[in-house]
Amino acid sequence: MYKFSLQIALNVRARQEKMRMKDLAEKLAVEHHIQNQINQIKEDTRNAESGMNHAKQAQTFTIRQLKSLSGFKGRMKYTLALRLKELEAAKKEVFEKQQALIEASKLKKTLEILKEKNEKRYLEKISTLQRKNMDEIAGNQFVQNLRNR
């Protein structure tokens, strides 16, 4: 039976690849969460503006409501700027994790290719030995048949 001499290294590289996948998935989840927060901030701001526009059309708004909306929009603008900075940092981390995963995958694939080539050579060697043995057996039987005649 074939046994790959670098199987332990291949197992380590496979584990490293899985860890890199997990790291990437975590960073993607963070990026997705930040993007959802940004979308929610934009939606809340649109809803507040829409509510104020309806109040203006119905002529039921007060100066206090207008000040409140202005303060709310200011806070949302500040929060949005923070989230956008966080999103850029998260995207950078995602990119770095993608690169680490690509590198880990390449290292693992290198060993897998080496394993396949070694296994192919091993199987060819076994096949050659089997053919030689079969040829020898056939030759011996032929000589034995000649002797028995």
Side-chain angles (χ1 to χ4, degrees):
M1 180 164 163
Y2 175 72
K3 184 170 181 175
F4 184 49
S5 61
L6 298 173
Q7 187 62 46
I8 293 171
L10 180 58
N11 293 345
V12 167
R13 290 196 178 163
R15 265 192 313 262
Q16 287 174 340
E17 183 184 36
K18 285 180 185 178
M19 288 178 0
R20 301 297 178 266
M21 280 184 196
K22 182 179 177 242
D23 292 344
L24 177 59
E26 289 171 355
K27 295 302 177 184
L28 282 170
V30 168
E31 180 184 10
H32 185 53
H33 179 70
I34 293 169
Q35 188 63 52
N36 286 343
Q37 288 177 333
I38 288 170
N39 292 339
Q40 187 62 48
I41 289 168
K42 289 178 180 179
E43 182 66 27
D44 291 346
T45 303
R46 276 192 298 269
N47 288 342
E49 287 175 346
S50 176
M52 183 53 75
N53 287 337
H54 288 303
K56 282 180 185 178
Q57 288 175 352
Q59 296 181 351
T60 60
F61 74 98
T62 64
I63 298 298
R64 187 168 182 234
Q65 287 174 323
L66 196 55
K67 277 184 161 182
S68 177
L69 176 64
S70 177
F72 175 75
K73 286 174 67 174
R75 286 190 308 275
M76 290 299 107
K77 185 176 180 180
Y78 175 75
T79 305
L80 183 61
L82 289 177
R83 294 300 171 264
L84 288 172
K85 284 182 183 179
E86 290 174 2
L87 182 62
E88 286 305 312
K91 285 183 177 187
K92 183 179 177 187
E93 289 177 351
V94 165
F95 179 77
E96 290 169 359
K97 297 301 179 183
Q98 285 174 331
Q99 296 306 310
L101 175 58
I102 289 168
E103 186 62 30
S105 295
K106 283 180 184 178
L107 292 172
K108 180 183 149 214
K109 189 66 176 170
T110 301
L111 281 181
E112 285 176 340
I113 291 169
L114 181 61
K115 179 181 179 179
E116 289 171 7
K117 286 181 179 180
N118 285 347
E119 189 172 10
K120 183 179 177 184
R121 260 186 264 141
Y122 173 79
L123 292 174
E124 287 173 355
K125 184 178 175 182
I126 294 296
S127 179
T128 302
L129 286 174
Q130 286 176 340
R131 273 195 307 275
K132 284 182 182 178
N133 287 337
M134 295 299 273
D135 289 346
E136 187 177 333
I137 290 170
N140 289 341
Q141 285 180 342
F142 179 75
V143 169
Q144 193 175 19
N145 285 341
L146 286 178
R147 287 184 190 160
N148 289 339
R149 286 186 186 171

Coordinates of all heavy atoms in Angstrom, one line a residue, residues 58-120:
A58 N -48.3 68.5 5.8 CA -49.5 68.5 6.6 C -49.5 69.8 7.5 O -50.5 70.1 8.2 CB -49.6 67.3 7.5
Q59 N -48.4 70.5 7.5 CA -48.2 71.7 8.3 C -48.4 71.5 9.7 O -49.1 72.2 10.4 CB -49.1 72.9 7.7 CG -48.7 73.3 6.3 CD -49.6 74.4 5.8 OE1 -50.6 74.8 6.5 NE2 -49.2 75.0 4.7
T60 N -47.9 70.3 10.2 CA -48.0 70.0 11.6 C -46.7 69.9 12.3 O -46.6 69.4 13.4 CB -48.7 68.6 11.8 OG1 -47.9 67.6 11.1 CG2 -50.1 68.7 11.2
F61 N -45.6 70.4 11.7 CA -44.3 70.3 12.4 C -44.0 71.6 13.2 O -44.6 72.6 13.0 CB -43.2 70.1 11.3 CG -42.9 71.3 10.5 CD1 -41.8 72.1 10.9 CD2 -43.6 71.7 9.4 CE1 -41.4 73.2 10.1 CE2 -43.3 72.8 8.7 CZ -42.2 73.6 9.0
T62 N -43.1 71.4 14.1 CA -42.7 72.5 15.0 C -41.2 72.7 14.8 O -40.5 71.9 14.2 CB -42.9 72.2 16.5 OG1 -42.1 71.0 16.8 CG2 -44.4 71.8 16.7
I63 N -40.7 73.9 15.3 CA -39.3 74.2 15.2 C -38.5 73.2 16.0 O -37.4 72.8 15.6 CB -39.1 75.6 15.7 CG1 -39.8 76.6 14.9 CG2 -37.6 75.9 15.8 CD1 -39.3 76.7 13.4
R64 N -39.1 72.7 17.1 CA -38.4 71.7 18.0 C -38.2 70.5 17.2 O -37.1 69.8 17.3 CB -39.3 71.5 19.2 CG -38.6 70.6 20.2 CD -39.4 70.7 21.5 NE -38.7 69.8 22.5 CZ -39.3 68.9 23.2 NH1 -40.6 68.6 23.0 NH2 -38.6 68.2 24.0
Q65 N -39.2 70.0 16.4 CA -39.0 68.8 15.6 C -37.9 69.0 14.5 O -37.2 68.1 14.3 CB -40.3 68.5 14.9 CG -41.4 67.9 15.8 CD -42.7 67.7 15.1 OE1 -43.1 68.5 14.3 NE2 -43.4 66.6 15.5
L66 N -37.9 70.2 14.0 CA -36.9 70.5 13.0 C -35.5 70.5 13.6 O -34.5 69.9 13.0 CB -37.2 71.9 12.3 CG -36.5 72.2 11.0 CD1 -36.7 71.2 10.0 CD2 -36.9 73.6 10.6
K67 N -35.3 71.1 14.8 CA -34.0 71.0 15.5 C -33.7 69.6 15.8 O -32.5 69.2 15.7 CB -34.1 71.8 16.8 CG -33.9 73.3 16.6 CD -33.9 73.9 18.0 CE -33.3 75.3 18.0 NZ -33.3 75.9 19.3
S68 N -34.7 68.8 16.2 CA -34.4 67.4 16.6 C -34.0 66.6 15.4 O -33.0 65.8 15.4 CB -35.7 66.8 17.1 OG -35.5 65.4 17.4
L69 N -34.6 66.9 14.2 CA -34.2 66.2 13.0 C -32.8 66.6 12.6 O -32.0 65.8 12.2 CB -35.1 66.5 11.8 CG -34.7 66.0 10.5 CD1 -34.8 64.4 10.5 CD2 -35.7 66.5 9.4
S70 N -32.5 67.9 12.8 CA -31.1 68.4 12.4 C -30.1 67.7 13.3 O -29.0 67.3 12.8 CB -31.1 69.9 12.6 OG -29.8 70.4 12.3
G71 N -30.4 67.6 14.6 CA -29.4 66.9 15.5 C -29.3 65.5 15.2 O -28.2 64.9 15.2
F72 N -30.4 64.8 14.9 CA -30.4 63.4 14.5 C -29.5 63.2 13.2 O -28.7 62.3 13.2 CB -31.8 62.9 14.3 CG -31.9 61.5 13.8 CD1 -31.7 60.4 14.6 CD2 -32.2 61.2 12.4 CE1 -31.8 59.1 14.2 CE2 -32.2 59.9 12.0 CZ -32.0 58.9 12.8
K73 N -29.7 64.1 12.2 CA -29.0 63.9 11.0 C -27.5 64.1 11.2 O -26.6 63.5 10.6 CB -29.5 64.9 9.9 CG -30.8 64.4 9.3 CD -31.4 65.5 8.4 CE -30.7 65.6 7.2 NZ -31.3 66.5 6.2
G74 N -27.2 65.1 12.1 CA -25.8 65.3 12.5 C -25.1 64.1 13.1 O -24.0 63.7 12.8
R75 N -25.9 63.5 14.1 CA -25.4 62.3 14.7 C -25.2 61.1 13.7 O -24.2 60.4 13.8 CB -26.3 61.9 15.9 CG -26.2 62.7 17.1 CD -27.0 62.1 18.3 NE -28.3 61.8 18.0 CZ -29.4 62.6 18.0 NH1 -29.2 63.9 18.4 NH2 -30.6 62.2 17.8
M76 N -26.2 61.0 12.8 CA -26.1 59.9 11.8 C -25.0 60.1 10.9 O -24.3 59.2 10.5 CB -27.4 59.8 11.1 CG -28.6 59.3 11.9 SD -28.4 57.7 12.5 CE -28.1 58.0 14.2
K77 N -24.7 61.4 10.5 CA -23.6 61.7 9.6 C -22.3 61.3 10.3 O -21.4 60.7 9.7 CB -23.6 63.2 9.3 CG -22.6 63.6 8.2 CD -22.7 65.1 7.9 CE -21.7 65.5 6.8 NZ -21.8 66.9 6.4
Y78 N -22.1 61.7 11.6 CA -20.9 61.3 12.3 C -20.8 59.8 12.4 O -19.7 59.3 12.2 CB -21.0 62.0 13.7 CG -19.8 61.6 14.6 CD1 -18.6 62.2 14.4 CD2 -20.0 60.7 15.6 CE1 -17.5 61.8 15.2 CE2 -19.0 60.3 16.5 CZ -17.7 60.9 16.2 OH -16.7 60.5 17.1
T79 N -21.9 59.2 12.8 CA -21.8 57.7 12.9 C -21.5 57.0 11.6 O -20.8 56.1 11.6 CB -23.2 57.2 13.5 OG1 -23.5 57.9 14.7 CG2 -23.2 55.7 13.7
L80 N -22.1 57.6 10.6 CA -21.9 57.0 9.2 C -20.4 57.1 8.9 O -19.8 56.2 8.3 CB -22.7 57.7 8.2 CG -22.7 57.2 6.8 CD1 -23.1 55.8 6.7 CD2 -23.5 58.1 5.8
A81 N -19.8 58.3 9.2 CA -18.4 58.5 8.9 C -17.5 57.5 9.6 O -16.6 56.9 9.1 CB -17.9 59.9 9.2
L82 N -17.9 57.2 10.9 CA -17.1 56.2 11.7 C -17.3 54.8 11.1 O -16.3 54.1 10.9 CB -17.7 56.2 13.1 CG -17.3 57.4 14.0 CD1 -18.0 57.2 15.4 CD2 -15.8 57.5 14.1
R83 N -18.5 54.5 10.7 CA -18.8 53.1 10.1 C -18.0 53.0 8.8 O -17.6 51.9 8.5 CB -20.3 52.9 9.9 CG -21.1 52.8 11.2 CD -20.6 51.7 12.1 NE -21.3 51.7 13.4 CZ -20.8 52.3 14.5 NH1 -19.6 52.9 14.5 NH2 -21.4 52.4 15.6
L84 N -18.0 54.0 8.0 CA -17.3 54.0 6.7 C -15.8 53.7 6.9 O -15.1 52.9 6.2 CB -17.5 55.2 5.9 CG -18.9 55.4 5.3 CD1 -19.1 56.7 4.7 CD2 -19.2 54.2 4.3
K85 N -15.2 54.3 8.0 CA -13.8 54.1 8.3 C -13.6 52.6 8.7 O -12.7 52.0 8.4 CB -13.3 55.0 9.4 CG -13.0 56.4 9.0 CD -12.5 57.3 10.1 CE -12.3 58.7 9.6 NZ -11.8 59.6 10.7
E86 N -14.6 52.2 9.6 CA -14.5 50.8 10.0 C -14.7 49.8 8.8 O -14.0 48.8 8.8 CB -15.7 50.5 11.0 CG -15.5 51.1 12.4 CD -16.7 50.9 13.3 OE1 -17.7 50.2 12.9 OE2 -16.7 51.5 14.4
L87 N -15.5 50.2 7.9 CA -15.7 49.3 6.7 C -14.4 49.3 5.9 O -14.0 48.2 5.4 CB -16.8 49.9 5.8 CG -17.2 49.1 4.6 CD1 -17.6 47.7 4.9 CD2 -18.3 49.8 3.7
E88 N -13.7 50.4 5.7 CA -12.5 50.4 5.0 C -11.4 49.5 5.7 O -10.7 48.7 5.0 CB -11.9 51.8 4.8 CG -12.7 52.6 3.8 CD -12.7 51.9 2.4 OE1 -11.7 51.5 1.9 OE2 -13.8 51.9 1.8
A89 N -11.4 49.6 7.0 CA -10.4 48.7 7.7 C -10.8 47.3 7.6 O -9.9 46.4 7.4 CB -10.4 49.1 9.2
A90 N -12.1 47.0 7.6 CA -12.6 45.6 7.5 C -12.3 45.1 6.1 O -11.9 43.9 6.0 CB -14.1 45.5 7.8
K91 N -12.4 45.9 5.1 CA -12.1 45.5 3.7 C -10.6 45.1 3.6 O -10.3 44.2 2.9 CB -12.5 46.5 2.7 CG -14.0 46.6 2.5 CD -14.4 47.6 1.4 CE -15.9 47.5 1.2 NZ -16.3 48.3 0.0
K92 N -9.8 46.0 4.2 CA -8.4 45.7 4.2 C -8.1 44.4 4.9 O -7.3 43.6 4.4 CB -7.6 46.9 4.9 CG -6.1 46.7 4.9 CD -5.4 47.9 5.6 CE -3.9 47.7 5.6 NZ -3.2 48.6 6.4
E93 N -8.7 44.1 6.0 CA -8.5 42.8 6.7 C -9.0 41.7 5.9 O -8.3 40.6 5.9 CB -9.2 42.9 8.1 CG -8.5 43.8 9.1 CD -9.2 43.8 10.4 OE1 -10.4 43.3 10.5 OE2 -8.7 44.4 11.4
V94 N -10.1 41.8 5.2 CA -10.6 40.8 4.4 C -9.6 40.5 3.2 O -9.3 39.3 3.0 CB -12.0 41.1 3.8 CG1 -12.4 40.2 2.6 CG2 -13.1 41.1 4.9
F95 N -9.1 41.5 2.7 CA -8.1 41.3 1.6 C -6.9 40.6 2.1 O -6.4 39.6 1.4 CB -7.7 42.7 1.0 CG -6.7 42.6 -0.1 CD1 -7.0 42.2 -1.4 CD2 -5.3 42.9 0.2 CE1 -6.1 42.0 -2.4 CE2 -4.4 42.7 -0.8 CZ -4.7 42.3 -2.1
E96 N -6.4 41.0 3.3 CA -5.2 40.3 3.8 C -5.5 38.8 4.1 O -4.7 37.9 3.9 CB -4.8 41.0 5.1 CG -4.2 42.4 4.9 CD -4.0 43.2 6.1 OE1 -4.3 42.7 7.2 OE2 -3.5 44.3 6.0
K97 N -6.7 38.5 4.6 CA -7.1 37.1 4.9 C -7.3 36.4 3.6 O -6.9 35.2 3.6 CB -8.4 37.1 5.8 CG -8.2 37.7 7.1 CD -7.2 37.0 8.0 CE -7.0 37.7 9.3 NZ -6.0 37.1 10.1
Q98 N -7.7 37.0 2.6 CA -7.9 36.3 1.3 C -6.5 36.0 0.8 O -6.3 34.8 0.2 CB -8.6 37.2 0.3 CG -10.1 37.4 0.5 CD -10.7 38.4 -0.5 OE1 -10.1 39.4 -0.9 NE2 -12.0 38.2 -0.8
Q99 N -5.5 36.9 0.9 CA -4.2 36.6 0.4 C -3.6 35.4 1.2 O -2.9 34.6 0.7 CB -3.3 37.9 0.5 CG -3.8 39.0 -0.4 CD -3.9 38.6 -1.8 OE1 -3.0 38.0 -2.4 NE2 -5.0 38.9 -2.4
A100 N -3.8 35.4 2.5 CA -3.3 34.4 3.4 C -3.9 33.0 3.0 O -3.2 32.0 2.9 CB -3.6 34.7 4.9
L101 N -5.2 33.0 2.7 CA -5.9 31.8 2.2 C -5.3 31.3 0.9 O -5.1 30.1 0.7 CB -7.4 32.0 2.2 CG -8.2 30.8 1.6 CD1 -8.0 29.6 2.4 CD2 -9.7 31.2 1.5
I102 N -5.1 32.2 0.0 CA -4.6 31.9 -1.3 C -3.2 31.2 -1.1 O -2.9 30.2 -1.8 CB -4.5 33.1 -2.3 CG1 -5.9 33.5 -2.7 CG2 -3.6 32.8 -3.5 CD1 -6.0 34.9 -3.3
E103 N -2.4 31.8 -0.3 CA -1.0 31.3 -0.1 C -1.1 29.9 0.6 O -0.4 29.0 0.1 CB -0.2 32.2 0.8 CG 1.2 31.8 1.0 CD 2.0 31.8 -0.3 OE1 1.7 32.6 -1.2 OE2 3.0 31.0 -0.4
A104 N -2.0 29.7 1.6 CA -2.1 28.4 2.2 C -2.6 27.4 1.2 O -2.2 26.2 1.2 CB -3.1 28.6 3.4
S105 N -3.5 27.8 0.4 CA -4.1 26.9 -0.7 C -3.0 26.4 -1.6 O -2.9 25.3 -2.0 CB -5.2 27.5 -1.4 OG -6.3 27.7 -0.5
K106 N -2.1 27.4 -2.0 CA -1.0 27.1 -3.0 C -0.1 26.1 -2.3 O 0.4 25.1 -3.0 CB -0.3 28.3 -3.3 CG -1.0 29.2 -4.3 CD -0.1 30.4 -4.6 CE -0.8 31.4 -5.6 NZ 0.0 32.6 -5.8
L107 N 0.3 26.3 -1.1 CA 1.2 25.4 -0.4 C 0.6 24.0 -0.3 O 1.3 23.0 -0.5 CB 1.5 26.0 1.0 CG 2.4 27.3 1.0 CD1 2.5 27.8 2.4 CD2 3.7 27.0 0.4
K108 N -0.7 23.9 0.1 CA -1.3 22.6 0.2 C -1.4 22.0 -1.2 O -1.1 20.8 -1.3 CB -2.7 22.8 0.8 CG -3.5 21.5 0.9 CD -4.9 21.7 1.4 CE -5.8 20.7 0.9 NZ -7.1 21.1 0.6
K109 N -1.7 22.7 -2.2 CA -1.9 22.2 -3.6 C -0.5 21.6 -4.1 O -0.5 20.6 -4.7 CB -2.4 23.2 -4.5 CG -2.8 22.7 -5.9 CD -3.9 21.8 -5.8 CE -4.3 21.3 -7.2 NZ -5.3 20.2 -7.1
T110 N 0.6 22.3 -3.7 CA 1.9 21.9 -4.1 C 2.2 20.5 -3.6 O 2.6 19.6 -4.3 CB 3.0 22.8 -3.6 OG1 2.7 24.1 -4.1 CG2 4.4 22.4 -3.9
L111 N 1.8 20.3 -2.3 CA 2.0 18.9 -1.7 C 1.1 17.9 -2.3 O 1.5 16.7 -2.4 CB 1.9 19.0 -0.2 CG 3.1 19.5 0.6 CD1 2.9 19.5 2.1 CD2 4.4 18.8 0.3
E112 N -0.1 18.3 -2.6 CA -1.1 17.4 -3.2 C -0.6 16.9 -4.5 O -0.7 15.7 -4.9 CB -2.5 18.0 -3.3 CG -3.2 18.1 -2.0 CD -4.5 18.9 -2.1 OE1 -4.7 19.6 -3.1 OE2 -5.4 18.7 -1.2
I113 N -0.1 17.8 -5.3 CA 0.5 17.5 -6.6 C 1.7 16.5 -6.5 O 1.8 15.5 -7.2 CB 0.9 18.7 -7.4 CG1 -0.4 19.5 -7.8 CG2 1.7 18.4 -8.7 CD1 -0.1 20.9 -8.4
L114 N 2.5 16.8 -5.5 CA 3.7 16.0 -5.3 C 3.2 14.6 -4.8 O 3.7 13.5 -5.3 CB 4.6 16.6 -4.2 CG 5.8 15.8 -3.8 CD1 6.7 15.6 -5.0 CD2 6.5 16.5 -2.7
K115 N 2.2 14.5 -4.0 CA 1.6 13.2 -3.6 C 1.1 12.4 -4.8 O 1.3 11.2 -4.9 CB 0.5 13.4 -2.5 CG -0.1 12.2 -2.0 CD -1.2 12.4 -1.0 CE -1.8 11.1 -0.6 NZ -2.9 11.3 0.4
E116 N 0.3 13.1 -5.6 CA -0.2 12.4 -6.8 C 0.9 11.9 -7.7 O 0.8 10.8 -8.2 CB -1.1 13.4 -7.6 CG -2.4 13.7 -6.9 CD -3.2 14.9 -7.5 OE1 -2.8 15.3 -8.6 OE2 -4.2 15.3 -7.0
K117 N 1.9 12.7 -7.9 CA 3.0 12.2 -8.8 C 3.7 11.0 -8.2 O 4.0 10.0 -8.8 CB 4.0 13.4 -9.0 CG 3.5 14.4 -10.0 CD 4.5 15.5 -10.2 CE 4.0 16.5 -11.2 NZ 5.0 17.6 -11.4
N118 N 4.0 11.1 -6.9 CA 4.7 10.0 -6.2 C 3.8 8.7 -6.2 O 4.3 7.6 -6.4 CB 5.0 10.4 -4.7 CG 6.2 11.3 -4.6 OD1 6.9 11.5 -5.6 ND2 6.4 11.9 -3.5
E119 N 2.5 8.9 -6.0 CA 1.6 7.8 -6.0 C 1.5 7.1 -7.4 O 1.5 5.9 -7.6 CB 0.2 8.2 -5.6 CG -0.7 7.0 -5.3 CD -2.1 7.4 -4.7 OE1 -2.4 8.6 -4.6 OE2 -2.8 6.5 -4.3
K120 N 1.5 8.0 -8.4 CA 1.5 7.5 -9.8 C 2.8 6.7 -10.1 O 2.8 5.6 -10.6 CB 1.4 8.6 -10.8 CG 1.3 8.2 -12.2 CD 1.2 9.4 -13.1 CE 1.1 9.0 -14.6 NZ 1.1 10.2 -15.5

